[in-house]
Amino acid sequence: MADKPGTLWYVIGPSGAGKDSLLAYARDRLPAGAGVMFSHRYITRPAGAGGENHVALSAEEFSAREANGCFALCWRRHGLAYGLGVELDLWLGQGLDVVVNGSRSSLALAAAHFPTLRPLWITASRETLAARLAGRGRESADDIDRRLREAGGFAPPPGSEVLWNDGELAEAGERLLALLAGR
């Protein structure tokens, strides 16, 4: 156990904001000894569905893991089940900072479980969100419209760090790296 637990960077924001791209950018560039871990989510979505590097589980396997206490946190959204593994508690207890792709709808639940949680809100303009959602090919036009309407109703929670990701990936990516490095 460390003298002080690590920070949980709980990344949230509207679909299409580029959360997965920014996390991959930071993961590829942070030195191994930086004291920052990137957690995979466990999702009932096929591994080849595009976007996020996640652990794909069947609905049955997800339910079994949930029943056996394998998740520190789990939620359901858009017809899928999402989980964050109990390894997060271990890493945070060792004083490591951990970065997770969270969910706006589960922020209060996450904050109750992880006292060192810091919300990191990643966003982009409506036009950028629409183009990215269409480009990833996972949603129908109706789904994209619903996600854009939903995005318009959300704002960063109080105390959030906010990262705009409308331009080049490297621009927001370097700001993310600086934030994770404590600069």
Side-chain angles (χ1 to χ4, degrees):
M1 271 311 217
D3 294 338
K4 179 180 111 168
T7 297
L8 179 72
W9 290 97
Y10 194 76
V11 177
I12 52 178
S15 294
K19 298 180 295 288
D20 296 322
S21 297
L22 283 171
L23 293 179
Y25 183 95
R27 175 185 277 137
D28 290 345
R29 287 162 180 80
L30 268 176
V36 178
M37 303 292 289
F38 289 83
S39 178
H40 290 85
R41 294 195 294 186
Y42 298 84
I43 308 175
T44 57
R45 177 173 61 215
E52 169 177 9
N53 179 9
H54 66 282
V55 177
L57 299 176
S58 68
E60 295 78 19
E61 187 175 8
F62 189 96
S63 294
R65 287 181 185 218
E66 184 176 22
N68 286 299
C70 296
F71 298 125
L73 181 71
C74 56
W75 65 92
R76 272 103 178 133
R77 191 98 168 108
H78 304 297
L80 299 171
Y82 297 80
L84 299 175
V86 294
E87 62 272 16
L88 269 68
D89 293 321
L90 174 68
W91 294 342
L92 292 167
Q94 291 175 337
L96 297 166
D97 290 345
V98 180
V99 182
V100 301
N101 188 343
S103 170
R104 297 168 298 208
S105 63
S106 297
L107 177 59
L109 184 63
H113 183 85
F114 301 106
T116 63
L117 182 144
R118 287 190 63 189
L120 174 55
W121 182 266
I122 297 176
T123 194
S125 68
R126 180 179 174 86
E127 296 76 25
T128 299
L129 297 175
R132 288 180 182 157
L133 289 171
R136 70 186 189 184
R138 286 196 319 228
E139 293 93 358
S140 69
D142 287 342
D143 289 338
I144 290 171
D145 186 56
R146 179 180 47 77
R147 285 183 183 247
L148 291 172
R149 282 193 316 273
E150 181 182 74
F154 285 106
S160 294
E161 295 286 343
V162 178
L163 250 172
W164 277 89
N165 186 26
D166 265 322
E168 293 296 318
L169 179 62
E171 184 180 335
E174 290 301 316
R175 289 195 312 270
L176 176 57
L177 285 171
L179 187 63
L180 295 176
R183 291 182 263 138

PDB file of all heavy atoms in Angstrom, residues 144-175:
ATOM      1  N   ILE A 144     -27.437   8.426 -34.293  1.00  0.00           N
ATOM      2  CA  ILE A 144     -26.549   9.595 -34.281  1.00  0.00           C
ATOM      3  C   ILE A 144     -27.326  10.837 -33.872  1.00  0.00           C
ATOM      4  O   ILE A 144     -26.874  11.616 -33.024  1.00  0.00           O
ATOM      5  CB  ILE A 144     -25.870   9.779 -35.651  1.00  0.00           C
ATOM      6  CG1 ILE A 144     -24.859   8.650 -35.884  1.00  0.00           C
ATOM      7  CG2 ILE A 144     -25.191  11.152 -35.750  1.00  0.00           C
ATOM      8  CD1 ILE A 144     -24.286   8.614 -37.283  1.00  0.00           C
ATOM      9  N   ASP A 145     -28.507  11.015 -34.435  1.00  0.00           N
ATOM     10  CA  ASP A 145     -29.331  12.175 -34.084  1.00  0.00           C
ATOM     11  C   ASP A 145     -29.671  12.159 -32.593  1.00  0.00           C
ATOM     12  O   ASP A 145     -29.588  13.188 -31.919  1.00  0.00           O
ATOM     13  CB  ASP A 145     -30.602  12.182 -34.933  1.00  0.00           C
ATOM     14  CG  ASP A 145     -31.417  13.438 -34.702  1.00  0.00           C
ATOM     15  OD1 ASP A 145     -30.868  14.548 -34.871  1.00  0.00           O
ATOM     16  OD2 ASP A 145     -32.608  13.312 -34.330  1.00  0.00           O
ATOM     17  N   ARG A 146     -30.020  10.993 -32.060  1.00  0.00           N
ATOM     18  CA  ARG A 146     -30.358  10.868 -30.634  1.00  0.00           C
ATOM     19  C   ARG A 146     -29.130  11.209 -29.782  1.00  0.00           C
ATOM     20  O   ARG A 146     -29.223  11.937 -28.797  1.00  0.00           O
ATOM     21  CB  ARG A 146     -30.842   9.452 -30.337  1.00  0.00           C
ATOM     22  CG  ARG A 146     -31.189   9.222 -28.868  1.00  0.00           C
ATOM     23  CD  ARG A 146     -31.666   7.801 -28.593  1.00  0.00           C
ATOM     24  NE  ARG A 146     -30.844   6.753 -29.181  1.00  0.00           N
ATOM     25  CZ  ARG A 146     -29.664   6.358 -28.695  1.00  0.00           C
ATOM     26  NH1 ARG A 146     -29.146   6.939 -27.639  1.00  0.00           N
ATOM     27  NH2 ARG A 146     -28.992   5.383 -29.279  1.00  0.00           N
ATOM     28  N   ARG A 147     -27.957  10.711 -30.165  1.00  0.00           N
ATOM     29  CA  ARG A 147     -26.740  10.985 -29.390  1.00  0.00           C
ATOM     30  C   ARG A 147     -26.378  12.475 -29.432  1.00  0.00           C
ATOM     31  O   ARG A 147     -25.919  13.037 -28.435  1.00  0.00           O
ATOM     32  CB  ARG A 147     -25.581  10.135 -29.888  1.00  0.00           C
ATOM     33  CG  ARG A 147     -25.715   8.680 -29.447  1.00  0.00           C
ATOM     34  CD  ARG A 147     -24.508   7.880 -29.889  1.00  0.00           C
ATOM     35  NE  ARG A 147     -24.639   6.487 -29.551  1.00  0.00           N
ATOM     36  CZ  ARG A 147     -23.886   5.850 -28.662  1.00  0.00           C
ATOM     37  NH1 ARG A 147     -22.956   6.503 -28.013  1.00  0.00           N
ATOM     38  NH2 ARG A 147     -24.067   4.570 -28.419  1.00  0.00           N
ATOM     39  N   LEU A 148     -26.597  13.121 -30.572  1.00  0.00           N
ATOM     40  CA  LEU A 148     -26.312  14.558 -30.672  1.00  0.00           C
ATOM     41  C   LEU A 148     -27.275  15.372 -29.813  1.00  0.00           C
ATOM     42  O   LEU A 148     -26.867  16.338 -29.163  1.00  0.00           O
ATOM     43  CB  LEU A 148     -26.361  15.010 -32.127  1.00  0.00           C
ATOM     44  CG  LEU A 148     -25.236  14.483 -33.018  1.00  0.00           C
ATOM     45  CD1 LEU A 148     -25.501  14.841 -34.471  1.00  0.00           C
ATOM     46  CD2 LEU A 148     -23.881  15.008 -32.554  1.00  0.00           C
ATOM     47  N   ARG A 149     -28.547  14.985 -29.809  1.00  0.00           N
ATOM     48  CA  ARG A 149     -29.521  15.672 -28.943  1.00  0.00           C
ATOM     49  C   ARG A 149     -29.142  15.481 -27.475  1.00  0.00           C
ATOM     50  O   ARG A 149     -29.194  16.424 -26.680  1.00  0.00           O
ATOM     51  CB  ARG A 149     -30.936  15.160 -29.199  1.00  0.00           C
ATOM     52  CG  ARG A 149     -31.590  15.719 -30.444  1.00  0.00           C
ATOM     53  CD  ARG A 149     -33.100  15.441 -30.479  1.00  0.00           C
ATOM     54  NE  ARG A 149     -33.461  14.099 -30.100  1.00  0.00           N
ATOM     55  CZ  ARG A 149     -33.527  13.049 -30.929  1.00  0.00           C
ATOM     56  NH1 ARG A 149     -33.253  13.201 -32.202  1.00  0.00           N
ATOM     57  NH2 ARG A 149     -33.868  11.862 -30.481  1.00  0.00           N
ATOM     58  N   GLU A 150     -28.772  14.261 -27.136  1.00  0.00           N
ATOM     59  CA  GLU A 150     -28.361  13.957 -25.767  1.00  0.00           C
ATOM     60  C   GLU A 150     -27.141  14.793 -25.379  1.00  0.00           C
ATOM     61  O   GLU A 150     -27.075  15.349 -24.291  1.00  0.00           O
ATOM     62  CB  GLU A 150     -28.051  12.466 -25.653  1.00  0.00           C
ATOM     63  CG  GLU A 150     -27.648  12.016 -24.285  1.00  0.00           C
ATOM     64  CD  GLU A 150     -27.316  10.534 -24.251  1.00  0.00           C
ATOM     65  OE1 GLU A 150     -26.233  10.156 -24.772  1.00  0.00           O
ATOM     66  OE2 GLU A 150     -28.113   9.764 -23.697  1.00  0.00           O
ATOM     67  N   ALA A 151     -26.157  14.877 -26.281  1.00  0.00           N
ATOM     68  CA  ALA A 151     -24.929  15.626 -26.003  1.00  0.00           C
ATOM     69  C   ALA A 151     -25.220  17.093 -25.716  1.00  0.00           C
ATOM     70  O   ALA A 151     -24.564  17.713 -24.877  1.00  0.00           O
ATOM     71  CB  ALA A 151     -23.952  15.510 -27.172  1.00  0.00           C
ATOM     72  N   GLY A 152     -26.224  17.649 -26.391  1.00  0.00           N
ATOM     73  CA  GLY A 152     -26.582  19.043 -26.173  1.00  0.00           C
ATOM     74  C   GLY A 152     -27.140  19.315 -24.792  1.00  0.00           C
ATOM     75  O   GLY A 152     -27.136  20.445 -24.319  1.00  0.00           O
ATOM     76  N   GLY A 153     -27.607  18.273 -24.108  1.00  0.00           N
ATOM     77  CA  GLY A 153     -28.193  18.431 -22.782  1.00  0.00           C
ATOM     78  C   GLY A 153     -27.228  18.204 -21.640  1.00  0.00           C
ATOM     79  O   GLY A 153     -27.601  18.309 -20.480  1.00  0.00           O
ATOM     80  N   PHE A 154     -25.993  17.872 -21.947  1.00  0.00           N
ATOM     81  CA  PHE A 154     -25.002  17.612 -20.907  1.00  0.00           C
ATOM     82  C   PHE A 154     -23.995  18.745 -20.825  1.00  0.00           C
ATOM     83  O   PHE A 154     -23.676  19.377 -21.822  1.00  0.00           O
ATOM     84  CB  PHE A 154     -24.243  16.312 -21.185  1.00  0.00           C
ATOM     85  CG  PHE A 154     -25.027  15.072 -20.897  1.00  0.00           C
ATOM     86  CD1 PHE A 154     -25.538  14.308 -21.935  1.00  0.00           C
ATOM     87  CD2 PHE A 154     -25.249  14.656 -19.602  1.00  0.00           C
ATOM     88  CE1 PHE A 154     -26.262  13.163 -21.678  1.00  0.00           C
ATOM     89  CE2 PHE A 154     -25.969  13.511 -19.332  1.00  0.00           C
ATOM     90  CZ  PHE A 154     -26.477  12.763 -20.373  1.00  0.00           C
ATOM     91  N   ALA A 155     -23.506  18.963 -19.637  1.00  0.00           N
ATOM     92  CA  ALA A 155     -22.448  19.950 -19.402  1.00  0.00           C
ATOM     93  C   ALA A 155     -21.412  19.299 -18.499  1.00  0.00           C
ATOM     94  O   ALA A 155     -21.725  18.348 -17.781  1.00  0.00           O
ATOM     95  CB  ALA A 155     -23.031  21.194 -18.734  1.00  0.00           C
ATOM     96  N   PRO A 156     -20.201  19.810 -18.508  1.00  0.00           N
ATOM     97  CA  PRO A 156     -19.190  19.233 -17.622  1.00  0.00           C
ATOM     98  C   PRO A 156     -19.633  19.322 -16.162  1.00  0.00           C
ATOM     99  O   PRO A 156     -20.128  20.364 -15.728  1.00  0.00           O
ATOM    100  CB  PRO A 156     -17.959  20.109 -17.859  1.00  0.00           C
ATOM    101  CG  PRO A 156     -18.200  20.794 -19.145  1.00  0.00           C
ATOM    102  CD  PRO A 156     -19.682  20.909 -19.296  1.00  0.00           C
ATOM    103  N   PRO A 157     -19.454  18.252 -15.396  1.00  0.00           N
ATOM    104  CA  PRO A 157     -19.788  18.317 -13.977  1.00  0.00           C
ATOM    105  C   PRO A 157     -18.877  19.297 -13.250  1.00  0.00           C
ATOM    106  O   PRO A 157     -17.756  19.554 -13.697  1.00  0.00           O
ATOM    107  CB  PRO A 157     -19.531  16.898 -13.477  1.00  0.00           C
ATOM    108  CG  PRO A 157     -19.314  16.053 -14.671  1.00  0.00           C
ATOM    109  CD  PRO A 157     -18.982  16.947 -15.814  1.00  0.00           C
ATOM    110  N   PRO A 158     -19.338  19.855 -12.139  1.00  0.00           N
ATOM    111  CA  PRO A 158     -18.482  20.756 -11.354  1.00  0.00           C
ATOM    112  C   PRO A 158     -17.168  20.080 -11.003  1.00  0.00           C
ATOM    113  O   PRO A 158     -17.116  18.889 -10.698  1.00  0.00           O
ATOM    114  CB  PRO A 158     -19.314  21.021 -10.090  1.00  0.00           C
ATOM    115  CG  PRO A 158     -20.733  20.742 -10.495  1.00  0.00           C
ATOM    116  CD  PRO A 158     -20.659  19.658 -11.533  1.00  0.00           C
ATOM    117  N   GLY A 159     -16.095  20.831 -11.077  1.00  0.00           N
ATOM    118  CA  GLY A 159     -14.777  20.317 -10.736  1.00  0.00           C
ATOM    119  C   GLY A 159     -14.084  19.565 -11.854  1.00  0.00           C
ATOM    120  O   GLY A 159     -12.990  19.042 -11.649  1.00  0.00           O
ATOM    121  N   SER A 160     -14.687  19.507 -13.024  1.00  0.00           N
ATOM    122  CA  SER A 160     -14.086  18.777 -14.140  1.00  0.00           C
ATOM    123  C   SER A 160     -12.968  19.562 -14.795  1.00  0.00           C
ATOM    124  O   SER A 160     -13.039  20.782 -14.902  1.00  0.00           O
ATOM    125  CB  SER A 160     -15.131  18.508 -15.241  1.00  0.00           C
ATOM    126  OG  SER A 160     -16.122  17.643 -14.812  1.00  0.00           O
ATOM    127  N   GLU A 161     -11.957  18.836 -15.233  1.00  0.00           N
ATOM    128  CA  GLU A 161     -11.007  19.374 -16.192  1.00  0.00           C
ATOM    129  C   GLU A 161     -11.706  19.245 -17.534  1.00  0.00           C
ATOM    130  O   GLU A 161     -12.369  18.238 -17.793  1.00  0.00           O
ATOM    131  CB  GLU A 161      -9.718  18.550 -16.199  1.00  0.00           C
ATOM    132  CG  GLU A 161      -8.938  18.604 -14.908  1.00  0.00           C
ATOM    133  CD  GLU A 161      -8.222  19.934 -14.711  1.00  0.00           C
ATOM    134  OE1 GLU A 161      -8.056  20.684 -15.690  1.00  0.00           O
ATOM    135  OE2 GLU A 161      -7.821  20.202 -13.578  1.00  0.00           O
ATOM    136  N   VAL A 162     -11.601  20.246 -18.406  1.00  0.00           N
ATOM    137  CA  VAL A 162     -12.273  20.210 -19.699  1.00  0.00           C
ATOM    138  C   VAL A 162     -11.237  20.274 -20.811  1.00  0.00           C
ATOM    139  O   VAL A 162     -10.355  21.137 -20.799  1.00  0.00           O
ATOM    140  CB  VAL A 162     -13.283  21.375 -19.848  1.00  0.00           C
ATOM    141  CG1 VAL A 162     -13.939  21.358 -21.216  1.00  0.00           C
ATOM    142  CG2 VAL A 162     -14.335  21.308 -18.744  1.00  0.00           C
ATOM    143  N   LEU A 163     -11.351  19.340 -21.749  1.00  0.00           N
ATOM    144  CA  LEU A 163     -10.459  19.272 -22.896  1.00  0.00           C
ATOM    145  C   LEU A 163     -11.290  19.348 -24.173  1.00  0.00           C
ATOM    146  O   LEU A 163     -12.122  18.478 -24.411  1.00  0.00           O
ATOM    147  CB  LEU A 163      -9.724  17.932 -22.895  1.00  0.00           C
ATOM    148  CG  LEU A 163      -8.252  17.917 -22.586  1.00  0.00           C
ATOM    149  CD1 LEU A 163      -7.757  16.508 -22.433  1.00  0.00           C
ATOM    150  CD2 LEU A 163      -7.459  18.668 -23.585  1.00  0.00           C
ATOM    151  N   TRP A 164     -11.080  20.382 -24.975  1.00  0.00           N
ATOM    152  CA  TRP A 164     -11.745  20.487 -26.278  1.00  0.00           C
ATOM    153  C   TRP A 164     -10.921  19.717 -27.299  1.00  0.00           C
ATOM    154  O   TRP A 164      -9.705  19.878 -27.369  1.00  0.00           O
ATOM    155  CB  TRP A 164     -11.884  21.952 -26.694  1.00  0.00           C
ATOM    156  CG  TRP A 164     -13.085  22.565 -26.060  1.00  0.00           C
ATOM    157  CD1 TRP A 164     -13.150  23.181 -24.847  1.00  0.00           C
ATOM    158  CD2 TRP A 164     -14.413  22.565 -26.580  1.00  0.00           C
ATOM    159  NE1 TRP A 164     -14.429  23.568 -24.581  1.00  0.00           N
ATOM    160  CE2 TRP A 164     -15.232  23.208 -25.636  1.00  0.00           C
ATOM    161  CE3 TRP A 164     -14.994  22.082 -27.758  1.00  0.00           C
ATOM    162  CZ2 TRP A 164     -16.598  23.384 -25.824  1.00  0.00           C
ATOM    163  CZ3 TRP A 164     -16.351  22.260 -27.942  1.00  0.00           C
ATOM    164  CH2 TRP A 164     -17.139  22.899 -26.991  1.00  0.00           C
ATOM    165  N   ASN A 165     -11.594  18.913 -28.094  1.00  0.00           N
ATOM    166  CA  ASN A 165     -10.916  18.076 -29.076  1.00  0.00           C
ATOM    167  C   ASN A 165     -11.556  18.274 -30.453  1.00  0.00           C
ATOM    168  O   ASN A 165     -12.096  17.338 -31.035  1.00  0.00           O
ATOM    169  CB  ASN A 165     -10.981  16.601 -28.642  1.00  0.00           C
ATOM    170  CG  ASN A 165     -10.168  15.703 -29.547  1.00  0.00           C
ATOM    171  OD1 ASN A 165      -9.215  16.132 -30.180  1.00  0.00           O
ATOM    172  ND2 ASN A 165     -10.559  14.446 -29.611  1.00  0.00           N
ATOM    173  N   ASP A 166     -11.479  19.493 -30.950  1.00  0.00           N
ATOM    174  CA  ASP A 166     -12.025  19.817 -32.268  1.00  0.00           C
ATOM    175  C   ASP A 166     -10.966  19.855 -33.360  1.00  0.00           C
ATOM    176  O   ASP A 166     -11.283  19.727 -34.525  1.00  0.00           O
ATOM    177  CB  ASP A 166     -12.712  21.194 -32.244  1.00  0.00           C
ATOM    178  CG  ASP A 166     -14.193  21.096 -32.003  1.00  0.00           C
ATOM    179  OD1 ASP A 166     -14.822  20.166 -32.521  1.00  0.00           O
ATOM    180  OD2 ASP A 166     -14.725  21.956 -31.281  1.00  0.00           O
ATOM    181  N   GLY A 167      -9.727  20.035 -32.976  1.00  0.00           N
ATOM    182  CA  GLY A 167      -8.664  20.198 -33.970  1.00  0.00           C
ATOM    183  C   GLY A 167      -7.880  18.922 -34.180  1.00  0.00           C
ATOM    184  O   GLY A 167      -8.422  17.816 -34.144  1.00  0.00           O
ATOM    185  N   GLU A 168      -6.587  19.091 -34.370  1.00  0.00           N
ATOM    186  CA  GLU A 168      -5.689  17.958 -34.554  1.00  0.00           C
ATOM    187  C   GLU A 168      -5.600  17.150 -33.251  1.00  0.00           C
ATOM    188  O   GLU A 168      -5.553  17.734 -32.164  1.00  0.00           O
ATOM    189  CB  GLU A 168      -4.293  18.443 -34.953  1.00  0.00           C
ATOM    190  CG  GLU A 168      -4.240  19.090 -36.324  1.00  0.00           C
ATOM    191  CD  GLU A 168      -4.573  18.112 -37.439  1.00  0.00           C
ATOM    192  OE1 GLU A 168      -4.094  16.955 -37.391  1.00  0.00           O
ATOM    193  OE2 GLU A 168      -5.326  18.511 -38.343  1.00  0.00           O
ATOM    194  N   LEU A 169      -5.544  15.846 -33.382  1.00  0.00           N
ATOM    195  CA  LEU A 169      -5.464  14.972 -32.214  1.00  0.00           C
ATOM    196  C   LEU A 169      -4.273  15.340 -31.332  1.00  0.00           C
ATOM    197  O   LEU A 169      -4.385  15.358 -30.105  1.00  0.00           O
ATOM    198  CB  LEU A 169      -5.371  13.511 -32.656  1.00  0.00           C
ATOM    199  CG  LEU A 169      -5.248  12.478 -31.546  1.00  0.00           C
ATOM    200  CD1 LEU A 169      -6.478  12.503 -30.645  1.00  0.00           C
ATOM    201  CD2 LEU A 169      -5.037  11.093 -32.141  1.00  0.00           C
ATOM    202  N   ALA A 170      -3.140  15.651 -31.932  1.00  0.00           N
ATOM    203  CA  ALA A 170      -1.935  15.967 -31.164  1.00  0.00           C
ATOM    204  C   ALA A 170      -2.132  17.189 -30.267  1.00  0.00           C
ATOM    205  O   ALA A 170      -1.560  17.246 -29.169  1.00  0.00           O
ATOM    206  CB  ALA A 170      -0.754  16.188 -32.102  1.00  0.00           C
ATOM    207  N   GLU A 171      -2.933  18.134 -30.689  1.00  0.00           N
ATOM    208  CA  GLU A 171      -3.148  19.342 -29.887  1.00  0.00           C
ATOM    209  C   GLU A 171      -3.815  18.995 -28.556  1.00  0.00           C
ATOM    210  O   GLU A 171      -3.314  19.328 -27.485  1.00  0.00           O
ATOM    211  CB  GLU A 171      -4.002  20.333 -30.679  1.00  0.00           C
ATOM    212  CG  GLU A 171      -4.197  21.659 -29.989  1.00  0.00           C
ATOM    213  CD  GLU A 171      -5.056  22.616 -30.810  1.00  0.00           C
ATOM    214  OE1 GLU A 171      -5.120  22.479 -32.043  1.00  0.00           O
ATOM    215  OE2 GLU A 171      -5.665  23.498 -30.187  1.00  0.00           O
ATOM    216  N   ALA A 172      -4.949  18.312 -28.605  1.00  0.00           N
ATOM    217  CA  ALA A 172      -5.630  17.898 -27.373  1.00  0.00           C
ATOM    218  C   ALA A 172      -4.835  16.809 -26.663  1.00  0.00           C
ATOM    219  O   ALA A 172      -4.807  16.754 -25.428  1.00  0.00           O
ATOM    220  CB  ALA A 172      -7.041  17.416 -27.688  1.00  0.00           C
ATOM    221  N   GLY A 173      -4.163  15.957 -27.439  1.00  0.00           N
ATOM    222  CA  GLY A 173      -3.365  14.885 -26.859  1.00  0.00           C
ATOM    223  C   GLY A 173      -2.230  15.405 -25.996  1.00  0.00           C
ATOM    224  O   GLY A 173      -1.968  14.868 -24.911  1.00  0.00           O
ATOM    225  N   GLU A 174      -1.567  16.441 -26.436  1.00  0.00           N
ATOM    226  CA  GLU A 174      -0.477  17.027 -25.643  1.00  0.00           C
ATOM    227  C   GLU A 174      -1.016  17.687 -24.376  1.00  0.00           C
ATOM    228  O   GLU A 174      -0.363  17.656 -23.329  1.00  0.00           O
ATOM    229  CB  GLU A 174       0.341  18.006 -26.488  1.00  0.00           C
ATOM    230  CG  GLU A 174       1.174  17.319 -27.559  1.00  0.00           C
ATOM    231  CD  GLU A 174       2.173  16.310 -27.004  1.00  0.00           C
ATOM    232  OE1 GLU A 174       2.855  16.622 -25.993  1.00  0.00           O
ATOM    233  OE2 GLU A 174       2.273  15.199 -27.581  1.00  0.00           O
ATOM    234  N   ARG A 175      -2.193  18.301 -24.467  1.00  0.00           N
ATOM    235  CA  ARG A 175      -2.812  18.873 -23.259  1.00  0.00           C
ATOM    236  C   ARG A 175      -3.154  17.751 -22.270  1.00  0.00           C
ATOM    237  O   ARG A 175      -2.970  17.916 -21.059  1.00  0.00           O
ATOM    238  CB  ARG A 175      -4.041  19.700 -23.619  1.00  0.00           C
ATOM    239  CG  ARG A 175      -3.691  21.009 -24.320  1.00  0.00           C
ATOM    240  CD  ARG A 175      -4.849  22.008 -24.371  1.00  0.00           C
ATOM    241  NE  ARG A 175      -6.107  21.459 -24.820  1.00  0.00           N
ATOM    242  CZ  ARG A 175      -6.532  21.414 -26.096  1.00  0.00           C
ATOM    243  NH1 ARG A 175      -5.770  21.916 -27.053  1.00  0.00           N
ATOM    244  NH2 ARG A 175      -7.698  20.918 -26.405  1.00  0.00           N
TER     245      ARG A 175
END
